Short mmCIF file of all heavy atoms in Angstrom, two decimals:
data_model
loop_
_atom_site.label_atom_id
_atom_site.label_comp_id
_atom_site.label_asym_id
_atom_site.label_seq_id
_atom_site.Cartn_x
_atom_site.Cartn_y
_atom_site.Cartn_z
N PRO A 170 21.28 -0.70 -12.87
CA PRO A 170 21.24 -0.97 -14.29
C PRO A 170 21.75 -2.37 -14.60
O PRO A 170 22.54 -2.92 -13.90
CB PRO A 170 22.23 0.11 -14.91
CG PRO A 170 22.90 0.77 -13.76
CD PRO A 170 22.20 0.33 -12.47
N ASP A 171 21.23 -2.81 -15.76
CA ASP A 171 21.67 -4.19 -16.18
C ASP A 171 23.05 -4.09 -16.82
O ASP A 171 23.65 -3.04 -16.93
CB ASP A 171 20.67 -4.76 -17.19
CG ASP A 171 20.44 -3.94 -18.43
OD1 ASP A 171 21.28 -3.04 -18.69
OD2 ASP A 171 19.48 -4.16 -19.14
N GLU A 172 23.54 -5.24 -17.27
CA GLU A 172 24.91 -5.25 -17.85
C GLU A 172 25.11 -4.39 -19.04
O GLU A 172 26.21 -3.80 -19.27
CB GLU A 172 25.28 -6.75 -18.21
CG GLU A 172 25.48 -7.62 -17.05
CD GLU A 172 25.77 -9.06 -17.41
OE1 GLU A 172 25.95 -9.39 -18.67
OE2 GLU A 172 25.67 -9.97 -16.59
N THR A 173 24.09 -4.22 -19.86
CA THR A 173 24.15 -3.39 -21.08
C THR A 173 24.17 -1.90 -20.68
O THR A 173 24.92 -1.11 -21.25
CB THR A 173 22.95 -3.67 -22.00
OG1 THR A 173 22.90 -5.05 -22.27
CG2 THR A 173 23.08 -2.88 -23.29
N SER A 174 23.32 -1.55 -19.76
CA SER A 174 23.22 -0.10 -19.37
C SER A 174 24.27 0.39 -18.43
O SER A 174 24.64 1.56 -18.35
CB SER A 174 21.87 0.17 -18.70
OG SER A 174 20.84 -0.27 -19.55
N ALA A 175 24.86 -0.54 -17.65
CA ALA A 175 25.81 -0.11 -16.60
C ALA A 175 27.05 0.68 -17.12
O ALA A 175 27.35 1.72 -16.53
CB ALA A 175 26.33 -1.36 -15.79
N PRO A 176 27.67 0.25 -18.23
CA PRO A 176 28.82 1.05 -18.70
C PRO A 176 28.43 2.48 -19.12
O PRO A 176 29.12 3.42 -18.91
CB PRO A 176 29.31 0.26 -19.86
CG PRO A 176 28.80 -1.08 -19.73
CD PRO A 176 27.52 -0.99 -18.97
#
Side-chain angles (χ1 to χ4, degrees):
D171 60 15
E172 291 177 10
T173 306
S174 304

